[in-house]
Amino acid sequence: MSDWQLTRTFSSSAGEVRWDRLGGAGGRPVVLLHGTPWSSYTWRAVARALARGREVYVWDMPGYGQSEKRAGQDVSLDAQGRIFVQLLDHWRLDEPLVVAHDFGGAVALRAHLLHGAAYRALALVDPVALAPWGSPFFRLVRDNAPVFEQLPAALHTALVREYIGTTGGPGLHPAVLDALVAPWTDDAGRPAFYRQIAQADQRFTDEIQPRYGEVGMPALVCWGTDDTWIPVAKAHELAGLVPGARLELFEGAGHLVQEDAPAELTAVLQTFLTEQS
């Protein structure tokens, strides 16, 4: 990921967060949230495009990407929602535009519904938001994380690579796949991979799912029709629960719409964010 480096740091309650700001003043700022087992790297193309007309904030959650990874770290949805609120305060952002993918969708929703974070608008891209979630593989690792942590490094890398390659859609470019796997392969990354799965508890979305009708800002739900991790039926369900939510489907894209259809996704986000600025 040598072409994507986060240059700023924030000391959060769960460890050091790496973040950065792209673009310049002009228009309402946008904050991008990544999912799991990803990092802000997945937003690189979209972030650079959006930054041509406004400030764009990107960050790696504790336990992910370039941010701190350590034993005993709380990387749960509960912790990440609280940290996002801390970051918004650190950045002094007043009702930013928020775009959140996968696990980041739940983080943004928890920060808003439970901790009072205010957004001007919210775009959710294939979010983890509705029960049940977690593939059979995900549940197997979650329930047996200490066993998987004992895998030799080569087998671990092969497992992560295979898992990341199952998101659906046309398939990831080999260089992109390498970049997505890399943060999980060093001495800190290997246990961190299993730590984030072990702490992925559905109760943190069950807690907020009944409250989606309280989301009062303009909302956009984006989904890849070939998402093999969270079926597109969930897109229709979620759009029906969030008042006034607009639904955009991306034909042939998988769970990583940012990688499978970056130009289409950017165009849709540009239109939505400009309308709300």
Side-chain angles (χ1 to χ4, degrees), residues 21-32 46-57 95-99 120-121 266 269-277:
R21 182 172 57 232
L22 288 71
R28 192 176 293 271
V30 178
V31 181
L32 304 177
V46 175
R48 288 164 174 159
L50 295 178
R52 290 181 176 271
R54 63 178 78 242
E55 284 185 324
V56 176
Y57 290 77
E95 295 193 350
L97 301 160
V98 173
V99 181
R120 177 65 185 88
T266 301
L269 291 175
Q270 284 277 29
T271 299
F272 174 72
L273 298 175
T274 299
E275 290 173 351
Q276 313 309 328
S277 294

Side-chain angles (χ1 to χ4, degrees), residues 169-212:
L172 297 169
H173 186 283
V176 172
L177 181 56
D178 288 345
L180 295 175
V181 171
W184 304 117
T185 59
D186 62 13
D187 289 343
R190 287 193 295 274
F193 178 78
Y194 300 110
R195 186 180 306 122
Q196 49 91 19
I197 294 179
Q199 295 183 32
D201 195 322
Q202 186 179 292
R203 68 188 174 92
F204 293 125
T205 53
D206 290 345
E207 187 176 8
I208 57 173
Q209 185 171 332
R211 299 185 57 182
Y212 291 162

